[in-house]
Amino acid sequence: MTTHPMTGRVVLITGAAGGLGRAHAHAFAALGAHVVLSDVTDPAAVVAEVTAAGGSALGVVAGVDTWEGSAVSVAAAVEAFGRLDVLVNNAGIIRDKSFAKATPEMIEAVLAVHLHGAFHMTKAAWPHLTERGGSIINTTSGSGLYGNFGQVNYAAAKAGLVGFTRSLALEGARAGIRANAIAPLAKSAMTETMMAPELLERLAPEWVSPLVTWLASDGCTATGNVYSVGAGRYARVATLEAPGVRFDHVPTIAELTEAAAAIDDLAGAVEPRSLADQIALVAPPA
Ligand SMILES: NC(=O)c1ccc[n+]([C@@H]2O[C@H](COP(=O)([O-])OP(=O)(O)OC[C@H]3O[C@@H](n4cnc5c(N)ncnc54)[C@H](O)[C@@H]3O)[C@@H](O)[C@H]2O)c1
């Protein structure tokens, strides 16, 4: 029997005219949610697909790169369906170039869509999400988590989303808002020319969307987490702090050189979940 655990929920997905956003829209609609598809490219074709499959969908042509465009998307969702429960910040662009050759325009355009876009959308959505609690899913990237040649702009924006997600999780807890991030790998317009066809074949975006719907679901308690996802693999990503080395005097370069291997050694590392956790590691109460 088909269950519809998201019946009555309103889910706003940015960048939903294709790729991962399209797959997320189908997945949420199949679970009974009203989906709002917002994109600078008209998402009408995806709206038609979702509706044809029996889902409830609304399309909005608006950009996340401005406060105004983002407010339009959120207002359209609330006007059409009366509430907002889930925000999926998914819209994205790439302007790849090595750091030495990247122009200010290439850097600013990428920050505007990925990082500022998440601020714009989340700011507009926040008052609605606080009404009954809600879920925010941001889209980071392996580039942001681990680095990638030629993607300094994109990597910085995507890494920014990790700090954004973790701090939102802390601030949202009292209002019942959970915030998590995914680092997907999927075949899309964005990756079609970046990855080998044999690899892309294994990376259907439909493998990613179940994680997003799970993160948004009532039973899920995850918050402040980051997940690596693709090709049927689902794995949490963590930032760890090694036990480190403590000196009782200000160390010299020679002493740090000698201690370097121990400073780098992750054996016994722990996962701080906030700045307060780091403070407790660095300067534990005397
Ligand atoms: N596909 C991957 O392997 C992969 C890997 C890591 C991260 N991501 C991230 O996943 C997200 C989805 O990417 P995708 O792979 O589906 O690519 P995609 O190019 O198919 O989709 C991105 C969508 O965002 C829209 N968009 C661009 N600028 C916008 C703006 N200013 N406002 C609103 N919409 C805008 C585009 O029109 C497009 O429909 C992106 O944030 C991307 O960075 C993808």
Side-chain angles (χ1 to χ4, degrees):
M1 199 182 82
T2 315
T3 54
H4 293 108
M6 299 262 175
T7 298
R9 301 298 160 88
V10 180
V11 179
L12 173 50
I13 304 162
T14 67
L20 283 162
R22 170 178 171 271
H24 299 341
H26 277 287
F28 276 108
L31 295 171
H34 301 292
V35 291
V36 180
L37 287 67
S38 134
D39 204 303
V40 277
T41 304
D42 189 348
V46 182
V47 170
E49 283 172 20
V50 170
T51 310
S56 166
L58 171 77
V60 187
V61 180
V64 300
D65 49 315
T66 64
W67 294 105
E68 294 76 16
S70 301
V72 164
S73 294
V74 171
V78 174
E79 194 180 313
F81 301 116
R83 56 192 275 173
L84 183 64
D85 302 284
V86 179
L87 171 65
V88 184
N89 284 315
N90 167 79
I93 58 167
I94 46 174
R95 298 283 184 273
D96 293 357
K97 224 17 147 209
S98 64
F99 180 64
K101 292 186 183 147
T103 62
E105 291 73 24
M106 294 168 102
I107 294 165
E108 278 157 22
V110 167
L111 290 171
V113 175
H114 292 279
L115 186 58
H116 300 170
F119 274 92
H120 299 151
M121 287 300 303
T122 308
K123 190 80 174 153
W126 193 262
H128 302 286
L129 297 176
T130 57
E131 281 179 22
R132 12 183 126 62
S135 180
I136 298 163
I137 296 104
N138 295 316
T139 311
T140 181
S141 162
S143 287
L145 298 173
Y146 309 123
N148 193 26
F149 193 99
Q151 288 199 316
V152 167
N153 49 359
Y154 181 77
K158 290 306 205 186
L161 288 173
V162 173
F164 181 66
T165 302
R166 293 204 165 126
S167 297
L168 280 184
L170 296 170
E171 292 195 17
R174 221 177 294 164
I177 297 176
R178 294 181 299 102
N180 293 283
I182 63 162
L185 281 174
K187 180 180 176 174
S188 72
M190 189 179 280
T191 52
E192 230 152 28
T193 54
M194 289 170 65
M195 296 180 193
E198 317 78 82
L199 173 60
L200 288 168
E201 233 167 72
R202 300 167 57 199
L203 298 177
E206 286 72 20
W207 286 115
V208 176
S209 302
L211 179 69
V212 178
T213 57
W214 171 69
L215 286 170
S217 67
D218 283 349
C220 178
T221 56
T223 193
N225 285 353
V226 180
Y227 296 90
S228 169
V229 53
R233 177 176 177 273
Y234 305 84
R236 189 163 78 83
V237 174
T239 304
L240 303 181
E241 185 151 336
V245 173
R246 192 177 293 282
F247 290 88
D248 60 5
H249 59 275
V250 177
T252 62
I253 287 179
E255 284 173 319
L256 286 176
T257 304
E258 199 180 321
I263 291 170
D264 285 356
D265 188 357
L266 283 171
V270 295
E271 184 190 8
R273 298 294 298 194
S274 65
L275 174 66
D277 287 354
Q278 189 209 7
I279 292 171
L281 291 172
V282 170

